[in-house]
Amino acid sequence: MMSLLTIAFPAEAALPALQAFAGNFVSLVRPMVGLSVLAAVLLAFRPLLIGLLRAGLLILKPRQTLEQRSARSVLHSIIMLNGMARDLDGAHPSLANELRALASRG
């Protein structure tokens, strides 16, 4: 009977250390499992999430109409022509006047 108890006590003494190791292992692995599940969900619903993001961006900054984009392009061209005319004012005044005339037409 005594030999049975001597075998049981060392195993009982090692049990708390094993439980502490398992507890530490679980506490280290749990965040990694959670992050991997989150990554899998994000990958599975990626097209939906991208669509929601684009819809949110359109709410915050709506797309300009074709007329607005065309007007912006014309304004950019006028500003560019006037800038070129300013650069050529001293060297080629007649060319600068031509550029200003083109810019005034829109």
Side-chain angles (χ1 to χ4, degrees):
M1 187 80 176
M2 190 66 137
S3 64
L4 188 60
L5 289 178
T6 57
I7 293 173
F9 284 134
E12 227 176 80
L15 194 59
L18 183 62
Q19 286 176 343
F21 174 74
N24 288 339
F25 181 74
V26 168
S27 67
L28 290 175
V29 169
R30 184 177 290 160
M32 288 187 272
V33 169
L35 285 176
S36 63
V37 167
L38 178 67
V41 168
L42 289 177
L43 279 175
F45 292 103
R46 184 177 170 191
L48 175 66
L49 295 173
I50 290 173
L52 290 173
L53 181 66
R54 286 183 180 170
L57 288 175
L58 281 176
I59 289 173
L60 294 177
K61 185 181 176 189
R63 185 175 171 167
Q64 293 179 340
T65 64
L66 183 60
E67 292 173 354
Q68 289 172 331
R69 287 182 280 160
S70 175
R72 184 179 173 139
S73 174
V74 168
L75 180 64
H76 179 69
S77 299
I78 289 171
I79 291 172
M80 186 180 65
L81 285 172
N82 281 327
M84 290 170 61
R86 267 194 312 275
D87 291 343
L88 294 173
D89 227 357
H92 304 285
S94 62
L95 184 57
N97 287 334
E98 286 290 326
L99 288 173
R100 284 192 187 92
L102 284 173
S104 68
R105 291 184 201 154

